[in-house]
Amino acid sequence: METYDALLAAIAPTSGETRTILDPATGQPVGQAPVHTVEDLEAAIAAAATAQPGWAVLGHDARSAALLRAADAVERSAEELARLLSREQGKPLNGPNARFEVGACAAWLRVAAATVLEAETVVDDGETRAELHYRPIGVVGAIGPWNWPMMITVWQLAPALRMGNAVVIKPSEYTPLSVLALAHVLNQELPEGLLSVVSGGRDVGEALASHPGIGKIMFTGSTATGKAIIKSSADTVKRLTLELGGNDAGIVLPDADPKAIAEGLFWGAFINTGQTCAALKRLYVHDAIYDAVCEALTSVAAAMPMGNGLDENNVLGPLQNRQQFDIVSRLVEAARDSGARILLGGNPDQDQPGHFYPATIVADIDNSNPLVAEEQFGPALPIIRYSTVDEAVAMANALDVGLGASVWSADPAEARKVAARIEAGTVWINKHGAVDPRVPFGGAKQSGYGLEFGVEGLKALGVPQVING
Ligand code: NAD
């Protein structure tokens, strides 16, 4: 275990250009991040390529054992990692936030280690014997966002390492310290050069996506960047897993109990202060219970404390950066100007040092309003009224993204029927956004392609090879 200060010191840059990372709750400095260059990226890829064959030859059992030791290392430093994450990203220590995220890192490492992937005998009829194996790809590039920086990095690196690959990570410019600290802890248990972080900007991301020494890119981020990565990776025909933007719909059927579902709806929408890809972003509620759902949800939301993440009392934090704060402000103001009713929130303090935007609930809003149609990625939830399930399903499916969705009902069998009609990678029943390392996760439409987690997630980090004879 290292103290918080020792962790920061261990990742402090010793040379080259640096950048001060500011706490989004206070505007105070958290630490210095290196500004790595494309030359640094070249060195990291070369070191990864050198380390990878020795790692691949160890085999699944030894690599899984190393991942389990890496999970232990995360658990030993869990509190220090959570504090750094809270200060850099803004999310509170408590609630489904910083401590939860660090816990998820250990959990995903453990499940990636334990998941069984056997060679499959596809045909064995006396004449033909064909087996399907998954071989290491080589060096994998992992490019991530700023909302769940540690957890999403583990989602990318755990299956990659398990399958015998080396990994070069390009974290978001907004949250490099969290990822550098996580990698520092993991590297206590991994061979030198196998896992490294290149903390650069967009130019480094582009160079990683187009580099001939990289066999696959695991990307989580916006749909616009995903499209740029498809283009820059095309010349080297790179494999891609793309977890892109969403704008998840939830449909509340008329038989649901508003009070019973209010807390689930709240966390589905406001987890990580709304800065979550698969969060509930558009809530469609049947006319018969519209007012009751609005009231129940507003009263749950009004009671949730927001503030500095290091205060043990808080469960909502600031937005991570000013750009996101401005996007949410603009969309909520436009909704208000259009005549929508703000039931809770709006009106952030513009002079505060942090980027706090209050939990905001907006009723009587049209489905074409930009607050509904655009990914606002913050703590605002528009609630749209519907009168037939067909109408609700049509509105849910009207966008060109489809990451998650949910259906809320007292009758799960009825909810499943509605779920089957929704164009999304996951449809939850009476919950929203609950990811599980054993259950495949990925997007439909422009929310991306490829699956993470479970055995499907391991297969995505291997090259399929058929041995036929
Ligand atoms: P972003 O696309 O702006 O940035 C993501 C990463 O891509 C950063 O590391 C950035 O430096 C890098 N990058 C930017 N331009 C690049 C380029 N041309 N080539 C290569 N790399 C480049 O996303 P963000 O604002 O950090 O994250 C928020 C977005 O991520 C939202 O749209 C959210 O829905 C999405 N997201 C999706 C999932 C999922 O699982 N589907 C999970 C979390 C976040």
Side-chain angles (χ1 to χ4, degrees), residues 22-274:
L22 302 179
D23 183 333
T26 61
Q28 296 299 309
V30 179
Q32 294 294 314
V35 180
H36 286 140
T37 61
V38 172
E39 288 70 49
D40 296 316
L41 175 70
E42 291 291 351
I45 294 173
T50 303
Q52 189 267 333
W55 175 250
V57 90
L58 287 178
H60 280 293
D61 289 350
R63 293 195 301 264
S64 289
L67 291 189
L68 293 177
R69 289 195 302 275
D72 292 342
V74 169
E75 278 165 357
R76 280 195 302 274
S77 294
E79 186 60 16
E80 295 67 35
L81 288 169
R83 285 182 177 271
L84 176 56
L85 175 62
S86 177
R87 291 212 61 208
E88 185 183 53
Q89 204 285 332
K91 64 184 67 191
L93 289 170
N94 288 325
N97 291 302
R99 287 179 178 134
F100 167 86
E101 179 167 349
V102 174
C105 292
W108 255 266
L109 284 162
R110 290 193 190 290
V111 174
T115 303
V116 176
L117 175 60
E118 307 274 13
E120 191 186 332
T121 303
V122 187
V123 178
D124 188 6
D125 62 4
E127 273 179 41
T128 297
R129 181 178 164 82
E131 295 167 357
L132 178 59
H133 297 256
Y134 288 86
R135 309 297 187 200
I137 296 169
V139 184
V140 169
I143 305 178
W146 47 261
N147 57 341
W148 293 88
M150 289 186 183
M151 184 176 77
I152 287 174
T153 298
V154 167
W155 289 359
Q156 298 174 332
L157 68 81
L161 292 176
R162 164 65 201 278
M163 294 301 289
N165 305 293
V167 181
V168 175
I169 304 165
K170 209 303 278 175
S172 166
E173 300 87 313
Y174 290 113
T175 50
L177 300 178
S178 299
V179 177
L180 285 159
L182 173 74
H184 164 73
V185 169
L186 297 175
N187 272 327
Q188 293 165 5
E189 302 296 341
L190 296 172
E192 199 178 331
L194 189 72
L195 173 71
S196 58
V197 181
V198 183
S199 166
R202 185 170 287 242
D203 56 328
V204 172
E206 266 174 27
L208 186 59
S210 59
H211 199 286
I214 297 291
K216 167 144 193 171
I217 293 287
M218 298 291 289
F219 174 71
T220 299
S222 65
T223 298
T225 304
K227 290 176 183 176
I229 287 176
I230 292 170
K231 289 180 189 143
S232 49
S233 65
D235 279 347
T236 48
V237 194
K238 258 184 216 17
R239 283 147 186 80
L240 300 174
T241 291
L242 300 175
E243 295 285 3
L244 309 180
N247 196 349
D248 290 8
I251 298 179
V252 181
L253 299 181
D255 68 350
D257 174 349
K259 284 209 172 95
I261 63 173
E263 189 155 346
L265 288 173
F266 173 80
W267 283 115
F270 291 89
I271 183 168
N272 200 25
T273 315

Side-chain angles (χ1 to χ4, degrees), residues 399-421:
L399 300 184
D400 55 14
V401 286
L403 187 56
S406 54
V407 182
W408 304 72
S409 168
D411 179 353
E414 196 51 41
R416 281 196 175 81
K417 283 190 205 152
V418 178
R421 300 172 60 194

Side-chain angles (χ1 to χ4, degrees), residues 396-402 423-424 443-449:
N397 289 339
L399 300 184
D400 55 14
V401 286
E423 296 162 356
K445 302 201 272 190
Q446 293 190 26
S447 289
Y449 47 72

